Amino acid sequence: MAETIIIRVQSPDGVKRITATKRETVATFLKKVAKEFGFRNNGFSVYTNRNRTGEITASQNKSLNLLKIKHGDMLFLYPSSPAGSSSETMDTSVSQSLRPAGAPQVVEDEIDQYLIKQDGKIYRNRDQQLCRHGPLGKCVHCVPLEPFDEDYLNHLEPPVKHMSFHAYIRKLTGGADKGKFVALENISCKIKSGCEGHPPWPEGICTKCQPSAITLNRQKYRHVDNIMFENHTIADRFLDFWRKTGNQHLGYLYGRYTEHKDIPLGIRAEVAAIYEPPQIGTQNSLEILEDPKAEVVDEIAAKLGLRKVGWIFTDLVSEDTRKGTVRYSRNKDTYYLSAEECITAGNFQNQQPNICRLSPDGHFGSKFVTVVATGGPDNQVHFEGYQVSNQCMALVRDECLLPCRDAPELGYAKESSSEQYVPDVFYKDIDKFGNEITQLARPLPVEYLIIDITTTFPKDPVYTFSISQNPFPIENRDVLGETQDFHSLATYLSQNTSSVFLDIISDFHLLLFLVTNEVMPLRDSISLLLEAVRTKNEELAQTWKKSEQWATIEQLCSKKGARGRAPSPLGPGAGPRARGKLILCCVAPRRAVAGGCGQHLCSERDLGSRAEPFVGSLVLSFGVVEPCAHLGAAPGCQPRGEAAPSPSPCFSLFCFFFSPQARSACSSPACRSTVPWGGRPTPSRRPCGPASTAPS
């Protein structure tokens, strides 16, 4: 039997031992190396020396004994492909080896895929006082640290209490087994189904199907390490609602996840826009209403390269209106998040799970963040970021956690009932003697469920969307009188006269209006414009500007703008909308002399609740024409239906252009006259309403 030898092969990812024989051919040995390191092809080279000399080439005629390779020798492997592709190949093999048995094939977020490939180690410079070696040497004082080193994180300024999620994964997979048996399992508070040894709950339960008791601990890691608003304008526009009404407000944060370089392998949530869903807000409460546009908003955000990264709400009470200060109410003596807010945050995080390859379920935790706009120690508005722990997410998902009515800082673990089995929930506390004791979570301090996240604004603002002095109104702010319609769009376009079309159209709320408006939604034809905004490509924006859709939008805006500037023909006190019917009014011209006739004709056409009056211009109506009474009468003019003292010519354009039936409906004898239009006096326009004796 051939003598067995073990050969060490060192690669950029570590050292592995290959079992071979002295008479084994080099080609067979290299196949073993490729299989061990996860290479699908010969995209690597093996050398006898570290400086890449003495390359071992595949040969069926040469044996390891002929190359003088002995038991215990060290060979050196270097990928022969470019750096990017080689690391990608290695990372793919590592990901496959780290995936637990039975775990589904999942595609992680881009930021996760990027951080997997990073080294993540904390490199330190040579210490001039403690290091006694040369410039190329390393010792315990300057050797690189692992990204999960707690001593290093605690000595940062400010100290970091939670390591990043990817640093936590490195800690789990950094042992001798390289995380071969690591599996991030989600907590379940429900009875396992399929147990046939006893009747179902509440008649029976056993240790196989009974969920384990939960002891709440401070989570050592967090999925997001920093929240950053791109600029102050995003937050200021959101706070304007509270400034104008005094009511609390809520919004969804849309942005992207990027690398946070201040923490090893950290993740940052960058906020580019805030979408405000339908809601009912008071000074002390918020109620989120059903949003029929939620799916469309997520779709448009995805085409802009954004996603929903969190939610934000205000908890502000004015303290001194003259100084502009707010009350400092959330602190260590009260609470940071109430139990009800923790439950809401847990519900949102369950809706936005974090895709993870190490979990048998394919997801673990969440990157969804919570931001509270509240008063700080200096009585100014501060933005505080939070997440709830994975244990809280499990309690909320399985409906085991309730808020306390009179104590917002306390939660309450439900008790088991005939409808639901709830496992025991405990937490550890310190008694008055300094001993650590275990308490039943009835009630439960919510501090055990909260993870704080730093919230920042950059020194150099970033603008995914353009900023205007006269921005387009934000959605769902009808209570402020700020509505999204074509009149507001016409006003916005008239006030923003930039020659760069991309700067005008790059507004998140404007793009949502173009897609979701009921008059002319552009959901199927706006992809090119969204791509132009995402890539900041003015040529693409100009191409879309020449489309028929934008021409129609401009036409609607021009009509709305003209009608908005004209005086209302319905007179002072007329409302801006007509419920149920659209009033089409043809204005009768006013005579040049004082006391002119105020006759006019109106027709009504049922258009539903979306209708609003068209004012200030001649509108052709092809419905049934019905005469209506005078809104007012001048001296010598009688209401319709009564004979006038003397016939006077009618200057109504409506009566002239329409059919004889329309003219016969008018009470003016001039409508039945055969006098040609050229022989009539030149009309002068006047608004509908009470006749005035003022000179025209």
Side-chain angles (χ1 to χ4, degrees), residues 64 120 259:
L64 297 180
E259 182 184 10

Side-chain angles (χ1 to χ4, degrees), residues 17 65 79 102 127 148 153 214 258 272 295 428 487 507 543 557:
R17 292 170 173 82
N65 190 26
D127 193 305
F148 48 83
L153 297 176
I214 300 175
T258 60
E295 181 181 351
K428 294 183 178 181
H487 176 67
D507 186 291
T543 302
C557 291

Side-chain angles (χ1 to χ4, degrees), residues 299-300 303 514-515 520-531 543-545 547-550 553:
E299 177 186 339
I300 298 305
K303 292 183 179 180
L514 293 178
V515 175
M520 187 179 176
L522 304 179
R523 184 174 181 178
D524 299 330
S525 57
I526 204 173
S527 298
L528 183 63
L529 177 61
L530 298 179
E531 179 67 18
T543 302
W544 188 86
K545 184 181 179 182
S547 64
E548 297 180 358
Q549 291 81 6
W550 181 249
I553 294 292

Side-chain angles (χ1 to χ4, degrees), residues 131-148:
C131 294
R132 303 300 181 185
H133 50 76
L136 299 180
K138 292 291 182 182
C139 67
V140 294
H141 304 292
C142 60
V143 69
L145 301 176
E146 296 293 340
F148 48 83

Side-chain angles (χ1 to χ4, degrees), residues 400-666:
C400 299
L401 185 63
L402 298 173
C404 289
R405 177 179 299 178
D406 301 325
E409 71 277 7
L410 297 177
Y412 192 88
K414 290 174 62 176
E415 299 181 18
S416 297
S417 63
S418 58
E419 291 81 16
Q420 179 186 9
Y421 175 83
V422 179
D424 291 331
V425 181
F426 302 96
Y427 68 94
K428 294 183 178 181
D429 199 2
I430 305 296
D431 63 6
K432 61 180 180 180
F433 302 106
N435 300 319
E436 186 178 67
I437 58 176
T438 301
Q439 298 273 20
L440 187 63
R442 300 189 182 109
L444 161 69
V446 295
E447 284 82 1
Y448 286 86
L449 310 175
I450 298 175
I451 302 169
D452 61 315
I453 305 174
T454 55
T455 305
T456 58
F457 290 83
K459 293 182 179 179
D460 299 322
V462 182
Y463 298 96
T464 298
F465 302 100
S466 59
I467 301 299
S468 172
Q469 295 292 338
N470 302 287
F472 189 74
I474 297 177
E475 59 283 334
N476 299 313
R477 285 196 176 185
D478 296 345
V479 67
L480 293 179
E482 300 177 6
T483 57
Q484 287 189 343
D485 52 25
F486 282 94
H487 176 67
S488 58
L489 177 58
T491 304
Y492 171 79
L493 295 177
S494 63
Q495 293 174 346
N496 294 272
T497 57
S498 173
S499 59
V500 182
F501 178 69
L502 188 61
D503 292 342
I504 299 175
I505 207 67
S506 293
D507 186 291
F508 184 71
H509 308 286
L510 171 58
L511 294 173
L512 292 182
F513 169 73
L514 293 178
V515 175
T516 60
N517 73 87
E518 298 179 350
V519 178
M520 187 179 176
L522 304 179
R523 184 174 181 178
D524 299 330
S525 57
I526 204 173
S527 298
L528 183 63
L529 177 61
L530 298 179
E531 179 67 18
V533 174
R534 186 182 68 84
T535 59
K536 298 186 183 299
N537 191 327
E538 173 65 16
E539 294 183 1
L540 284 179
Q542 290 292 341
T543 302
W544 188 86
K545 184 181 179 182
K546 299 175 183 178
S547 64
E548 297 180 358
Q549 291 81 6
W550 181 249
T552 307
I553 294 292
E554 286 184 320
Q555 186 69 17
L556 290 171
C557 291
S558 63
K559 290 186 177 296
K560 287 287 181 179
R563 290 163 188 157
R565 290 189 297 270
S568 172
L570 302 179
R577 286 184 178 268
R579 184 179 299 273
K581 292 186 177 180
L582 178 63
I583 301 177
L584 306 179
C585 182
C586 174
V587 181
R590 179 184 174 185
R591 297 170 65 179
V593 297
C597 177
Q599 297 180 23
H600 68 282
L601 287 175
C602 292
S603 69
E604 296 179 348
R605 184 172 58 185
D606 190 5
L607 291 181
S609 59
R610 288 163 41 193
E612 61 181 6
F614 283 69
V615 296
S617 61
L618 177 65
V619 181
L620 303 182
S621 172
F622 298 97
V624 178
V625 180
E626 300 176 356
C628 62
H630 285 159
L631 296 179
C637 184
Q638 300 294 328
R640 191 179 298 275
E642 301 180 11
S646 58
S648 59
C650 177
F651 303 104
S652 174
L653 299 177
F654 189 97
C655 297
F656 175 75
F657 281 107
F658 277 81
S659 62
Q661 291 82 358
R663 292 199 297 271
S664 64
C666 185

